[in-house]
Amino acid sequence: MATDASPKYRTPDFHPEISVNPSKTKETTIHDGLEFWQFMISGSIAGSVEHMAMYPVDTLKTRMQVIGASRPLHPAGVRQAFSSVLKLEGPAGFYRGIAAMGLGAGPAHAVYFSVYELCKEFFSGGVPNNSMAHAVSGVFSTVASDAVITPMDMVKQRLQLKSSPYKGVADCVKRVLVEEGIGAFYASYRTTVIMNAPFQAVHFATYEAVKRALMEFDPNSGSDESLVVHATAGAAAGALAATLTTPLDVVKTQLQCQVRTVSNVNFCQF
């Protein structure tokens, strides 16, 4: 029996680096059951999949926003936009410029989640569920990620429009850089940040409120990890946040699609 009991008293020998190497504990910090690098990669993949899956809808949104500003008396509806793209360009028209989104979404979401986690750890002061720390961290992460995705988002939107003069992502980047300068890639950056900051605030606040309401409505669920709860709360939060920030999104689209040369005057026609 003595030989069986002896290993039980050797626990002080386990993981001695915890007391002598604080930086080691930071490297192995766990976030929601995942290590930091896994959390960042998961968020990057999820963001890329989200943008790719909704890209046809994003194409319709971009065209409707442009035509609505150029012809305010005859705004285009979803059916008109859909029929126009399908008839004149075919199904491939819905995916024009998707490569730009693929190049920008992954890095942008990686930056978003990495900055968010670092800021949350810094501002929370060791206090879990610190709402203010989460909000401030969300603002910092939005500013950083928007700086990464804004140039590719501009390229994407210019490629999405009808009669785009660009052959592809590389051609668009090259011509904009030569004809308009690097500032054209960030023409909408401030508007994008002003739009996304309240979007994230409304989104997360609504998400948590709806999730709590659903849990109270169904107290027998016993956990807030239900897929139905997450999906319903996420849908409600996204819809409300998008509704409140759509005017700024229209401004952003106009800034990114504006053309400074006379030869491209028809570029924004639907």
Side-chain angles (χ1 to χ4, degrees):
M1 296 296 293
T3 57
D4 295 334
S6 57
K8 298 180 180 179
Y9 299 97
R10 297 177 62 183
T11 53
D13 295 334
F14 295 161
H15 307 294
E17 68 274 7
I18 293 178
S19 60
V20 298
N21 191 355
S23 61
K24 184 70 175 179
T25 60
K26 292 183 179 181
E27 294 178 359
T28 57
T29 301
I30 301 299
H31 302 270
D32 295 335
L34 298 176
E35 292 187 10
F36 178 76
W37 66 271
Q38 293 174 319
F39 191 85
M40 183 179 66
I41 293 177
S42 298
S44 177
I45 295 175
S48 298
V49 171
E50 171 201 354
H51 284 293
M52 298 299 181
M54 298 302 296
Y55 195 82
V57 178
D58 185 69
T59 298
L60 295 178
K61 176 182 71 74
T62 297
R63 295 203 178 192
M64 291 172 63
Q65 288 176 340
V66 170
I67 194 61
S70 60
R71 295 193 322 203
L73 298 179
H74 302 87
V78 176
R79 179 179 298 180
Q80 180 184 352
F82 180 84
S83 300
S84 177
V85 175
L86 192 62
K87 180 180 179 180
L88 300 177
E89 304 172 56
F94 293 103
Y95 293 92
R96 181 174 171 81
I98 194 172
M101 179 52 65
L103 292 173
H109 279 81
V111 169
Y112 180 90
F113 283 106
S114 60
V115 172
Y116 179 80
E117 290 298 323
L118 291 173
C119 289
K120 184 174 70 173
E121 181 180 357
F122 178 79
F123 289 113
S124 64
V127 179
N129 300 322
N130 188 326
S131 299
M132 182 59 67
H134 294 174
V136 174
S137 300
V139 172
F140 276 93
S141 58
T142 296
V143 172
S145 64
D146 284 346
V148 176
I149 201 172
T150 295
M152 284 294 103
D153 190 55
M154 184 276 290
V155 173
K156 178 212 70 172
Q157 289 199 309
R158 291 200 178 191
L159 290 171
Q160 283 177 321
L161 298 181
K162 178 186 175 182
S163 303
S164 173
Y166 307 110
K167 299 178 182 179
V169 175
D171 181 58
C172 182
V173 172
K174 180 180 178 180
R175 290 179 57 179
V176 170
L177 191 61
V178 172
E179 298 172 6
E180 304 177 49
I182 193 171
F185 292 101
Y186 288 95
S188 67
Y189 177 65
R190 284 178 294 181
T191 303
T192 301
V193 172
I194 293 173
M195 175 187 72
N196 284 338
F199 180 94
Q200 295 296 338
V202 173
H203 182 273
F204 283 112
T206 304
Y207 174 78
E208 294 296 339
V210 173
K211 189 171 68 171
R212 286 194 299 269
L214 291 174
M215 294 305 300
E216 293 176 0
F217 179 77
D218 185 16
N220 295 326
S221 60
S223 173
D224 62 352
E225 298 299 324
S226 169
L227 178 61
V228 175
V229 170
H230 280 295
T232 304
L240 178 59
T243 300
L244 295 177
T245 57
T246 290
L248 286 173
D249 190 46
V250 174
V251 174
K252 183 203 75 170
T253 299
Q254 290 296 307
L255 289 172
Q256 293 187 155
C257 295
Q258 66 182 347
V259 180
R260 303 176 184 178
T261 58
V262 177
S263 60
N264 290 336
V265 70
N266 295 324
F267 175 60
C268 288
Q269 288 185 353
F270 182 70

